[in-house]
Amino acid sequence: MSLKNLPIAYKLALPVLLQILVLIVVTIVYFRSHQLIENQKEESQDRSEVLDIIDIAKYEINRYLKNEIGYNSLGRELKAHRENLLNNPVLKKQPDLLQLTGKIDASLGEIYKLRVQNEKIEEEVTGLVKLSVKQSDTYIADMAQKLADEQQRKDVTKLERLVIIGASINTTTNYQIMIHFLKMKESIESGDELLQFLDRAIKNTETDIERLEGTPYQALAVASRKADLRIKELSEAYIANTKKVKSEGDKLNNLLAKLSDGVFELNQEGTEIVFNSFTSNLNILLAIFVVALCLVTTVILFIVGSITKPLNSII
């Protein structure tokens, strides 16, 4: 049946049907846009949660790097946040960003390992200094007792009296070594001062070894040089470890920044998706309205013509 042969009631209903079709299409487009907005809203909340966790992690990690909290305390602070981060839908969909969390953990572990090594180094250096000081102080105390006794004073040789000076210097030197080491601990830039002081101390003990050759006290100077050489070796390792910690700390901050930037990029992409969707849907609606307007106008004109033409022929 052609449009011309349709009953007039059907012809009059055609514009209404076209409007209903347009309304259905508009409704579909609306719900699609609404669903997209809701999805992006949920994802935006998930991304905000990730950024909040990253900010907390940055704060706690920087406290750890500044020695304000220990490694175990850091682990307790980050444990719950880490689980939330790994279970976050945003990161689950982004394996590249998820891999960064593993690199962050590895970097923290490396820093912890280096710091443990430095703690052991400090313990050994402190032990060597204390032992050397104890040996010198014991010798000085023994000689002082002998010299204080009128009977024993005669038995103290000139060499033994001269060794008292060397023992006193050794005690002072070791205290200075400890002071330089503690300064280096506070500021790694002071490491060169410690190494230079140790070089001078080693050179002095080598001179003492030569002077005391053939005497029973040469062993004291040999032991002192051995301790100083070991302290220098330990100090160099401490300096190297501290520089590695600094490097790992910079790497850690870069990884956290990269993670933040990645999430920010996802935010921008989400905004672009919504904007592009709105633009696309708006273009579709405009096209539908234009087509619908043309069709309705054509149908109305056709209906008007089909109704008025018979009437004009009768008149």
Side-chain angles (χ1 to χ4, degrees), residues 5-92:
N5 298 327
L6 283 174
I8 190 168
Y10 288 172
K11 291 179 180 179
L12 292 173
L14 280 176
V16 177
L17 290 174
L18 286 172
Q19 291 178 36
I20 291 172
L21 287 173
V22 170
L23 181 61
I24 290 171
V25 173
V26 169
T27 302
I28 292 171
V29 172
Y30 167 77
F31 279 110
R32 281 181 56 194
S33 299
H34 179 73
Q35 186 62 45
L36 178 64
I37 292 171
E38 288 298 315
N39 291 340
Q40 286 300 319
K41 184 179 178 182
E42 290 179 7
E43 290 186 10
S44 179
Q45 289 174 345
D46 291 334
R47 289 192 290 268
S48 295
E49 182 185 10
V50 172
L51 290 173
D52 288 341
I53 293 172
I54 292 172
D55 286 339
I56 293 171
K58 282 181 180 178
Y59 174 73
E60 296 298 340
I61 288 171
N62 280 318
R63 287 181 67 202
Y64 172 65
L65 293 176
K66 293 176 183 177
N67 290 314
E68 294 177 4
I69 58 172
Y71 186 73
N72 292 333
S73 297
L74 175 66
R76 286 193 297 270
E77 291 291 337
L78 296 183
K79 183 178 179 182
H81 297 301
R82 186 177 184 279
E83 290 176 359
N84 292 335
L85 193 66
L86 294 178
N87 292 325
N88 191 284
V90 171
L91 290 189
K92 284 185 174 180

Coordinates of all heavy atoms in Angstrom, one line a residue, residues 5-92:
N5 N -2.3 6.0 -0.7 CA -3.6 5.2 -0.5 C -3.9 5.0 1.0 O -4.8 4.4 1.3 CB -3.5 3.9 -1.2 CG -3.4 4.0 -2.7 OD1 -3.9 5.0 -3.3 ND2 -2.6 3.1 -3.3
L6 N -3.0 5.5 1.9 CA -3.2 5.4 3.3 C -4.4 6.2 3.7 O -4.7 7.3 3.2 CB -2.0 5.8 4.1 CG -0.8 4.9 4.1 CD1 0.4 5.7 4.9 CD2 -1.1 3.6 4.9
P7 N -5.2 5.6 4.7 CA -6.3 6.4 5.2 C -5.8 7.7 5.8 O -4.6 7.8 6.3 CB -6.9 5.5 6.3 CG -6.4 4.1 5.9 CD -5.1 4.3 5.3
I8 N -6.6 8.7 5.9 CA -6.2 10.0 6.4 C -5.8 10.0 7.8 O -4.9 10.7 8.2 CB -7.3 11.0 6.2 CG1 -6.8 12.5 6.4 CG2 -8.5 10.7 7.1 CD1 -7.8 13.5 6.0
A9 N -6.4 9.1 8.6 CA -6.0 9.0 10.0 C -4.5 8.5 10.2 O -3.8 9.0 11.0 CB -6.9 8.0 10.7
Y10 N -4.1 7.5 9.3 CA -2.8 7.1 9.3 C -1.8 8.2 8.9 O -0.7 8.3 9.4 CB -2.6 5.9 8.4 CG -3.2 4.6 8.9 CD1 -3.3 3.4 8.2 CD2 -3.7 4.6 10.2 CE1 -3.9 2.3 8.7 CE2 -4.3 3.4 10.7 CZ -4.4 2.3 9.9 OH -5.0 1.1 10.4
K11 N -2.2 8.9 7.9 CA -1.4 10.0 7.4 C -1.1 11.0 8.5 O 0.0 11.5 8.6 CB -2.0 10.7 6.2 CG -2.0 9.8 4.9 CD -2.7 10.5 3.8 CE -2.7 9.6 2.5 NZ -3.4 10.3 1.4
L12 N -2.2 11.4 9.2 CA -2.1 12.3 10.3 C -1.2 11.8 11.4 O -0.6 12.6 12.2 CB -3.5 12.7 10.8 CG -4.3 13.5 9.8 CD1 -5.7 13.7 10.4 CD2 -3.7 14.9 9.5
A13 N -1.2 10.5 11.6 CA -0.4 9.9 12.7 C 1.1 9.8 12.3 O 1.9 9.6 13.2 CB -1.0 8.5 13.0
L14 N 1.4 9.9 11.1 CA 2.8 9.7 10.7 C 3.8 10.7 11.4 O 4.8 10.3 11.9 CB 3.0 9.8 9.1 CG 2.6 8.6 8.3 CD1 2.7 8.9 6.9 CD2 3.5 7.4 8.7
P15 N 3.4 12.0 11.4 CA 4.3 12.9 12.1 C 4.5 12.5 13.6 O 5.6 12.7 14.2 CB 3.6 14.3 12.0 CG 2.8 14.1 10.8 CD 2.3 12.7 10.8
V16 N 3.4 12.1 14.2 CA 3.5 11.7 15.6 C 4.5 10.5 15.8 O 5.3 10.4 16.7 CB 2.1 11.3 16.2 CG1 2.2 10.8 17.6 CG2 1.2 12.5 16.1
L17 N 4.3 9.5 14.8 CA 5.2 8.3 14.9 C 6.7 8.7 14.7 O 7.5 8.2 15.4 CB 4.8 7.3 13.8 CG 3.4 6.6 14.0 CD1 3.1 5.8 12.8 CD2 3.5 5.7 15.2
L18 N 6.9 9.6 13.8 CA 8.3 10.1 13.6 C 8.8 10.8 14.9 O 10.0 10.5 15.2 CB 8.3 11.1 12.4 CG 8.2 10.5 11.0 CD1 8.0 11.6 10.0 CD2 9.4 9.6 10.7
Q19 N 8.0 11.6 15.5 CA 8.4 12.2 16.8 C 8.7 11.2 17.8 O 9.6 11.3 18.6 CB 7.3 13.2 17.2 CG 7.2 14.4 16.3 CD 6.1 15.3 16.8 OE1 5.9 15.5 17.9 NE2 5.4 15.9 15.8
I20 N 7.9 10.1 17.9 CA 8.1 9.0 18.9 C 9.4 8.3 18.6 O 10.2 8.0 19.5 CB 6.9 8.0 18.8 CG1 5.7 8.7 19.4 CG2 7.3 6.8 19.6 CD1 4.4 7.8 19.2
L21 N 9.7 8.1 17.3 CA 11.0 7.5 16.9 C 12.2 8.3 17.4 O 13.2 7.9 17.9 CB 11.0 7.2 15.4 CG 10.2 6.1 14.9 CD1 10.2 6.0 13.4 CD2 10.7 4.7 15.5
V22 N 12.0 9.7 17.1 CA 13.1 10.6 17.5 C 13.3 10.6 19.0 O 14.4 10.5 19.5 CB 12.7 12.0 17.0 CG1 13.7 13.0 17.6 CG2 12.8 12.1 15.5
L23 N 12.1 10.5 19.7 CA 12.2 10.5 21.2 C 12.9 9.2 21.7 O 13.7 9.3 22.6 CB 10.8 10.6 21.8 CG 10.7 10.6 23.3 CD1 11.4 11.8 23.9 CD2 9.2 10.6 23.7
I24 N 12.6 8.1 21.0 CA 13.3 6.8 21.4 C 14.8 6.9 21.2 O 15.6 6.5 22.1 CB 12.7 5.7 20.6 CG1 11.2 5.4 21.0 CG2 13.5 4.4 20.8 CD1 10.5 4.4 20.1
V25 N 15.2 7.4 20.0 CA 16.6 7.6 19.7 C 17.3 8.5 20.8 O 18.4 8.2 21.3 CB 16.8 8.1 18.3 CG1 18.3 8.4 18.1 CG2 16.3 7.0 17.3
V26 N 16.6 9.6 21.0 CA 17.2 10.6 22.0 C 17.3 10.0 23.4 O 18.3 10.2 24.1 CB 16.3 11.9 22.1 CG1 16.7 12.7 23.3 CG2 16.4 12.6 20.8
T27 N 16.3 9.2 23.8 CA 16.4 8.5 25.1 C 17.5 7.5 25.1 O 18.2 7.4 26.1 CB 15.0 7.7 25.3 OG1 13.9 8.7 25.3 CG2 15.1 7.1 26.7
I28 N 17.7 6.8 24.0 CA 18.8 5.8 24.0 C 20.2 6.5 24.1 O 21.1 6.1 24.9 CB 18.8 5.0 22.7 CG1 17.6 4.1 22.7 CG2 20.1 4.2 22.5 CD1 17.3 3.4 21.3
V29 N 20.3 7.6 23.4 CA 21.6 8.4 23.4 C 21.8 9.0 24.8 O 22.9 9.0 25.3 CB 21.5 9.5 22.4 CG1 22.7 10.5 22.6 CG2 21.5 9.0 21.0
Y30 N 20.7 9.4 25.4 CA 20.8 10.0 26.8 C 21.3 8.9 27.8 O 22.2 9.2 28.6 CB 19.4 10.5 27.2 CG 19.4 10.8 28.7 CD1 19.9 12.0 29.2 CD2 18.7 9.9 29.6 CE1 19.9 12.2 30.6 CE2 18.7 10.2 30.9 CZ 19.3 11.3 31.4 OH 19.2 11.6 32.8
F31 N 20.7 7.8 27.7 CA 21.1 6.7 28.7 C 22.5 6.3 28.5 O 23.2 5.9 29.4 CB 20.1 5.6 28.6 CG 18.8 5.8 29.4 CD1 17.6 6.0 28.8 CD2 18.9 5.9 30.8 CE1 16.5 6.2 29.6 CE2 17.7 6.1 31.6 CZ 16.5 6.3 30.9
R32 N 22.9 6.2 27.2 CA 24.3 5.9 26.9 C 25.2 6.9 27.5 O 26.2 6.6 28.1 CB 24.5 5.8 25.4 CG 24.0 4.5 24.7 CD 24.3 4.5 23.3 NE 25.7 4.7 23.0 CZ 26.2 5.1 21.8 NH1 25.4 5.2 20.8 NH2 27.5 5.2 21.6
S33 N 24.9 8.2 27.3 CA 25.7 9.2 27.9 C 25.7 9.2 29.4 O 26.8 9.4 30.1 CB 25.2 10.6 27.4 OG 25.3 10.7 26.0
H34 N 24.5 9.0 30.0 CA 24.4 8.9 31.4 C 25.3 7.7 32.0 O 26.0 7.9 33.0 CB 23.0 8.7 31.8 CG 22.8 8.6 33.3 ND1 22.9 9.7 34.2 CD2 22.5 7.6 34.1 CE1 22.6 9.3 35.4 NE2 22.4 8.0 35.4
Q35 N 25.2 6.6 31.3 CA 26.0 5.4 31.8 C 27.5 5.7 31.7 O 28.3 5.3 32.6 CB 25.6 4.2 31.0 CG 26.3 2.9 31.4 CD 25.8 2.6 32.8 OE1 24.7 2.6 33.2 NE2 26.8 2.2 33.7
L36 N 27.9 6.4 30.6 CA 29.3 6.7 30.4 C 29.7 7.7 31.6 O 30.8 7.5 32.1 CB 29.5 7.4 29.1 CG 30.9 7.9 28.8 CD1 31.9 6.7 28.7 CD2 31.0 8.6 27.5
I37 N 28.9 8.6 31.9 CA 29.3 9.6 33.0 C 29.4 8.9 34.3 O 30.3 9.1 35.1 CB 28.2 10.7 33.1 CG1 28.3 11.6 31.8 CG2 28.4 11.5 34.3 CD1 27.1 12.6 31.7
E38 N 28.5 7.9 34.6 CA 28.5 7.2 35.8 C 29.8 6.3 35.9 O 30.4 6.2 37.0 CB 27.3 6.3 36.0 CG 26.0 7.0 36.2 CD 26.1 7.8 37.6 OE1 26.5 7.2 38.6 OE2 25.7 9.0 37.6
N39 N 30.1 5.7 34.8 CA 31.3 4.9 34.7 C 32.6 5.7 35.0 O 33.5 5.3 35.8 CB 31.5 4.1 33.4 CG 30.4 3.1 33.2 OD1 29.8 2.6 34.2 ND2 30.1 2.7 32.0
Q40 N 32.6 6.9 34.3 CA 33.8 7.8 34.5 C 33.8 8.3 35.9 O 34.9 8.6 36.5 CB 33.7 8.9 33.5 CG 34.1 8.5 32.1 CD 35.5 7.9 32.0 OE1 36.4 8.4 32.6 NE2 35.6 6.8 31.2
K41 N 32.6 8.5 36.5 CA 32.6 9.0 37.9 C 33.2 8.0 38.8 O 34.0 8.4 39.7 CB 31.1 9.3 38.3 CG 31.0 9.9 39.6 CD 29.5 10.2 39.9 CE 29.3 10.7 41.3 NZ 27.9 11.0 41.7
E42 N 32.8 6.7 38.7 CA 33.4 5.7 39.5 C 34.9 5.6 39.3 O 35.6 5.4 40.3 CB 32.7 4.3 39.2 CG 31.3 4.2 39.6 CD 30.6 2.9 39.2 OE1 31.4 2.0 38.8 OE2 29.4 2.8 39.4
E43 N 35.3 5.6 38.0 CA 36.7 5.5 37.8 C 37.5 6.7 38.3 O 38.6 6.6 38.8 CB 37.0 5.4 36.3 CG 36.5 4.0 35.7 CD 36.9 3.9 34.2 OE1 37.7 4.7 33.7 OE2 36.5 2.9 33.6
S44 N 36.8 7.9 38.3 CA 37.5 9.1 38.8 C 37.6 8.9 40.3 O 38.7 9.4 40.9 CB 36.6 10.3 38.5 OG 37.2 11.5 39.0
Q45 N 36.7 8.4 41.0 CA 36.8 8.1 42.4 C 37.9 7.2 42.7 O 38.7 7.3 43.7 CB 35.5 7.6 43.0 CG 34.3 8.6 43.0 CD 33.0 8.0 43.4 OE1 32.8 6.8 43.4 NE2 32.1 8.9 43.8
D46 N 38.0 6.1 41.9 CA 39.1 5.1 42.1 C 40.5 5.8 41.8 O 41.4 5.5 42.6 CB 39.0 4.0 41.1 CG 37.8 3.1 41.4 OD1 37.4 3.1 42.6 OD2 37.2 2.5 40.5
R47 N 40.6 6.7 40.9 CA 41.8 7.4 40.6 C 42.2 8.3 41.7 O 43.3 8.5 42.1 CB 41.7 8.1 39.2 CG 41.7 7.2 38.0 CD 41.9 8.0 36.7 NE 40.8 8.8 36.4 CZ 39.8 8.4 35.6 NH1 39.8 7.2 35.1 NH2 38.8 9.3 35.3
S48 N 41.1 9.0 42.3 CA 41.4 9.9 43.4 C 41.9 9.1 44.6 O 42.8 9.6 45.3 CB 40.1 10.6 43.8 OG 39.7 11.5 42.7
E49 N 41.4 7.9 44.8 CA 41.8 7.0 45.9 C 43.3 6.7 45.7 O 44.1 6.7 46.6 CB 41.0 5.8 46.0 CG 41.4 4.9 47.1 CD 40.7 3.5 47.1 OE1 40.0 3.2 46.1 OE2 40.8 2.8 48.1
V50 N 43.7 6.4 44.4 CA 45.1 6.0 44.1 C 46.0 7.2 44.4 O 47.0 7.1 45.0 CB 45.2 5.6 42.6 CG1 46.7 5.5 42.3 CG2 44.5 4.3 42.4
L51 N 45.6 8.4 44.0 CA 46.4 9.6 44.2 C 46.5 9.9 45.7 O 47.6 10.3 46.2 CB 45.7 10.8 43.5 CG 45.8 10.8 42.0 CD1 45.0 11.9 41.4 CD2 47.3 10.9 41.5
D52 N 45.5 9.7 46.5 CA 45.5 9.9 47.9 C 46.5 8.9 48.6 O 47.3 9.3 49.4 CB 44.1 9.7 48.6 CG 43.2 10.8 48.2 OD1 43.7 11.9 47.9 OD2 42.0 10.6 48.4
I53 N 46.5 7.7 48.1 CA 47.4 6.7 48.6 C 48.8 7.0 48.3 O 49.8 6.9 49.1 CB 47.0 5.3 48.1 CG1 45.7 4.8 48.7 CG2 48.1 4.2 48.5 CD1 45.2 3.5 48.1
I54 N 49.0 7.5 47.1 CA 50.4 7.9 46.6 C 50.9 9.0 47.5 O 52.1 9.1 47.9 CB 50.4 8.3 45.1 CG1 50.1 7.0 44.3 CG2 51.7 8.9 44.7 CD1 49.9 7.4 42.8
D55 N 50.0 10.0 47.8 CA 50.5 11.1 48.6 C 50.9 10.7 50.0 O 51.9 11.1 50.6 CB 49.3 12.2 48.7 CG 49.1 13.0 47.4 OD1 50.1 13.0 46.6 OD2 48.0 13.5 47.2
I56 N 50.1 9.7 50.6 CA 50.4 9.2 51.9 C 51.7 8.4 51.8 O 52.6 8.6 52.7 CB 49.3 8.2 52.4 CG1 48.0 9.0 52.6 CG2 49.7 7.5 53.6 CD1 46.8 8.2 52.9
A57 N 51.9 7.7 50.7 CA 53.2 6.9 50.6 C 54.4 7.8 50.5 O 55.4 7.6 51.1 CB 53.1 6.0 49.3
K58 N 54.2 8.9 49.7 CA 55.3 9.9 49.6 C 55.7 10.5 50.9 O 56.9 10.6 51.2 CB 54.9 11.0 48.6 CG 54.9 10.7 47.2 CD 54.4 11.9 46.4 CE 54.4 11.6 44.9 NZ 53.9 12.8 44.1
Y59 N 54.7 10.8 51.7 CA 54.9 11.4 53.0 C 55.7 10.4 53.9 O 56.7 10.8 54.5 CB 53.6 11.8 53.6 CG 53.7 12.3 55.0 CD1 54.3 13.6 55.3 CD2 53.3 11.6 56.1 CE1 54.4 14.1 56.6 CE2 53.4 12.0 57.4 CZ 53.9 13.3 57.7 OH 54.1 13.7 59.0
E60 N 55.2 9.2 54.0 CA 55.8 8.2 54.9 C 57.2 7.8 54.4 O 58.1 7.6 55.2 CB 54.9 7.0 55.0 CG 53.5 7.2 55.6 CD 53.6 7.7 57.1 OE1 54.6 7.5 57.7 OE2 52.6 8.3 57.5
I61 N 57.3 7.7 53.1 CA 58.6 7.3 52.6 C 59.7 8.4 52.8 O 60.8 8.1 53.2 CB 58.5 6.9 51.1 CG1 57.8 5.6 50.9 CG2 59.9 6.9 50.4 CD1 57.4 5.3 49.5
N62 N 59.3 9.6 52.6 CA 60.2 10.7 52.9 C 60.6 10.8 54.4 O 61.7 11.1 54.7 CB 59.6 12.1 52.4 CG 59.7 12.3 50.9 OD1 60.8 12.0 50.4 ND2 58.7 12.7 50.3
R63 N 59.6 10.5 55.2 CA 60.0 10.4 56.7 C 61.0 9.3 56.9 O 61.9 9.5 57.7 CB 58.7 10.1 57.5 CG 57.7 11.2 57.6 CD 56.5 10.8 58.4 NE 56.9 10.6 59.8 CZ 56.2 9.9 60.7 NH1 55.1 9.3 60.3 NH2 56.6 9.7 61.9
Y64 N 60.8 8.2 56.2 CA 61.8 7.1 56.4 C 63.2 7.5 55.8 O 64.2 7.2 56.5 CB 61.3 5.8 55.6 CG 62.3 4.7 55.5 CD1 62.7 4.1 56.7 CD2 62.8 4.3 54.3 CE1 63.7 3.0 56.6 CE2 63.7 3.3 54.2 CZ 64.2 2.6 55.4 OH 65.1 1.6 55.3
L65 N 63.2 8.2 54.7 CA 64.5 8.6 54.1 C 65.2 9.6 55.0 O 66.4 9.7 55.0 CB 64.2 9.2 52.7 CG 63.7 8.2 51.6 CD1 63.4 9.0 50.3 CD2 64.8 7.1 51.4
K66 N 64.4 10.4 55.8 CA 65.0 11.4 56.7 C 65.3 10.7 58.0 O 65.6 11.5 59.0 CB 64.0 12.5 56.9 CG 63.8 13.4 55.6 CD 62.8 14.5 55.8 CE 62.5 15.3 54.6 NZ 61.5 16.3 54.8
N67 N 65.1 9.4 58.2 CA 65.4 8.7 59.4 C 64.4 9.1 60.5 O 64.7 9.0 61.7 CB 66.8 8.9 59.9 CG 67.8 8.2 58.9 OD1 67.6 7.0 58.6 ND2 68.8 8.9 58.5
E68 N 63.2 9.6 60.2 CA 62.2 10.0 61.2 C 61.5 8.8 61.7 O 61.0 8.8 62.8 CB 61.3 11.0 60.6 CG 62.0 12.4 60.3 CD 61.0 13.4 59.7 OE1 59.8 13.1 59.6 OE2 61.5 14.5 59.4
I69 N 61.4 7.7 60.9 CA 60.7 6.5 61.2 C 61.6 5.3 60.7 O 62.4 5.5 59.8 CB 59.3 6.3 60.7 CG1 59.3 6.4 59.2 CG2 58.4 7.4 61.3 CD1 57.9 6.1 58.5
G70 N 61.4 4.2 61.3 CA 62.2 3.0 60.9 C 61.5 2.2 59.8 O 60.4 2.5 59.4
Y71 N 62.2 1.2 59.3 CA 61.7 0.4 58.2 C 60.4 -0.3 58.6 O 59.4 -0.4 57.8 CB 62.7 -0.5 57.7 CG 62.4 -1.3 56.4 CD1 62.3 -0.7 55.2 CD2 62.0 -2.7 56.5 CE1 62.0 -1.4 54.0 CE2 61.7 -3.4 55.3 CZ 61.7 -2.7 54.1 OH 61.3 -3.4 53.0
N72 N 60.4 -0.9 59.8 CA 59.2 -1.6 60.3 C 58.0 -0.7 60.4 O 56.9 -1.1 60.1 CB 59.6 -2.3 61.6 CG 60.6 -3.5 61.4 OD1 60.7 -4.0 60.3 ND2 61.3 -3.8 62.4
S73 N 58.3 0.5 60.9 CA 57.2 1.4 61.1 C 56.6 1.8 59.7 O 55.4 2.0 59.6 CB 57.7 2.7 61.8 OG 58.1 2.4 63.2
L74 N 57.5 2.0 58.8 CA 57.1 2.4 57.4 C 56.2 1.2 56.9 O 55.2 1.5 56.2 CB 58.3 2.6 56.5 CG 58.0 2.8 55.0 CD1 57.3 4.1 54.8 CD2 59.3 2.8 54.2
G75 N 56.6 0.0 57.1 CA 55.9 -1.1 56.6 C 54.5 -1.2 57.2 O 53.5 -1.5 56.5
R76 N 54.4 -0.9 58.5 CA 53.1 -0.9 59.1 C 52.2 0.2 58.6 O 51.0 0.0 58.4 CB 53.2 -0.7 60.6 CG 53.7 -2.0 61.3 CD 53.6 -1.9 62.8 NE 54.4 -0.8 63.4 CZ 55.6 -0.9 63.8 NH1 56.2 -2.1 63.7 NH2 56.3 0.1 64.3
E77 N 52.8 1.4 58.3 CA 52.0 2.5 57.8 C 51.5 2.3 56.4 O 50.4 2.7 56.0 CB 52.9 3.8 57.8 CG 53.2 4.3 59.2 CD 52.0 4.9 59.9 OE1 51.1 5.3 59.3 OE2 52.1 4.9 61.2
L78 N 52.3 1.6 55.6 CA 52.0 1.4 54.2 C 51.2 0.1 53.9 O 50.7 -0.1 52.8 CB 53.2 1.4 53.3 CG 54.0 2.7 53.3 CD1 55.2 2.6 52.4 CD2 53.1 3.9 52.9
K79 N 51.2 -0.8 54.9 CA 50.6 -2.1 54.6 C 49.2 -2.1 54.1 O 48.8 -2.6 53.0 CB 50.6 -3.0 55.8 CG 50.1 -4.4 55.6 CD 50.3 -5.3 56.9 CE 49.7 -6.7 56.6 NZ 49.8 -7.5 57.9
A80 N 48.3 -1.4 54.8 CA 46.9 -1.3 54.5 C 46.7 -0.6 53.2 O 45.9 -0.9 52.3 CB 46.0 -0.7 55.6
H81 N 47.4 0.5 53.0 CA 47.3 1.4 51.8 C 47.8 0.6 50.6 O 47.3 0.7 49.5 CB 48.2 2.6 52.0 CG 47.7 3.5 53.1 ND1 46.4 4.0 53.1 CD2 48.3 4.0 54.2 CE1 46.3 4.8 54.2 NE2 47.4 4.7 54.9
R82 N 48.9 -0.2 50.8 CA 49.4 -1.0 49.7 C 48.4 -2.0 49.2 O 48.2 -2.2 48.0 CB 50.7 -1.7 50.1 CG 51.4 -2.5 49.0 CD 52.7 -3.1 49.5 NE 53.4 -3.7 48.4 CZ 53.1 -4.9 47.9 NH1 52.1 -5.6 48.4 NH2 53.9 -5.4 46.9
E83 N 47.6 -2.7 50.1 CA 46.6 -3.6 49.7 C 45.5 -2.9 48.9 O 45.0 -3.4 47.9 CB 46.1 -4.3 50.9 CG 47.1 -5.3 51.6 CD 46.5 -5.9 52.9 OE1 45.4 -5.5 53.3 OE2 47.2 -6.7 53.5
N84 N 45.1 -1.7 49.4 CA 44.1 -1.0 48.7 C 44.5 -0.6 47.3 O 43.8 -0.6 46.4 CB 43.7 0.3 49.5 CG 43.0 -0.1 50.8 OD1 42.3 -1.1 50.9 ND2 43.0 0.8 51.8
L85 N 45.8 -0.2 47.2 CA 46.4 0.2 45.9 C 46.4 -1.0 44.9 O 46.0 -0.8 43.8 CB 47.8 0.7 46.2 CG 48.5 1.5 45.0 CD1 47.7 2.8 44.7 CD2 49.9 1.7 45.3
L86 N 46.8 -2.1 45.4 CA 46.9 -3.3 44.5 C 45.5 -3.8 44.1 O 45.3 -4.4 43.0 CB 47.7 -4.4 45.2 CG 49.1 -4.2 45.5 CD1 49.8 -5.3 46.2 CD2 49.9 -3.9 44.2
N87 N 44.5 -3.6 45.0 CA 43.1 -4.0 44.6 C 42.3 -2.9 43.9 O 41.2 -3.2 43.6 CB 42.4 -4.4 45.9 CG 43.0 -5.7 46.6 OD1 43.4 -6.6 45.8 ND2 43.0 -5.7 47.9
N88 N 42.9 -1.8 43.7 CA 42.2 -0.7 43.1 C 41.9 -1.1 41.6 O 42.9 -1.5 40.9 CB 43.0 0.6 43.2 CG 42.2 1.8 42.7 OD1 42.0 2.0 41.5 ND2 41.8 2.6 43.7
P89 N 40.7 -0.9 41.1 CA 40.4 -1.3 39.7 C 41.2 -0.5 38.7 O 41.5 -1.1 37.6 CB 38.9 -0.9 39.6 CG 38.4 -0.9 41.0 CD 39.5 -0.5 41.9
V90 N 41.6 0.7 39.0 CA 42.4 1.5 38.1 C 43.7 0.8 37.8 O 44.1 0.7 36.6 CB 42.6 2.9 38.6 CG1 43.6 3.7 37.7 CG2 41.3 3.7 38.7
L91 N 44.4 0.4 38.8 CA 45.7 -0.2 38.6 C 45.6 -1.6 38.0 O 46.5 -2.0 37.3 CB 46.5 -0.2 39.9 CG 47.0 1.1 40.5 CD1 47.9 0.9 41.7 CD2 47.7 1.9 39.4
K92 N 44.5 -2.3 38.4 CA 44.4 -3.6 37.8 C 44.2 -3.6 36.3 O 44.6 -4.5 35.6 CB 43.1 -4.3 38.4 CG 43.3 -4.8 39.8 CD 42.0 -5.5 40.3 CE 42.3 -6.1 41.7 NZ 41.1 -6.8 42.2

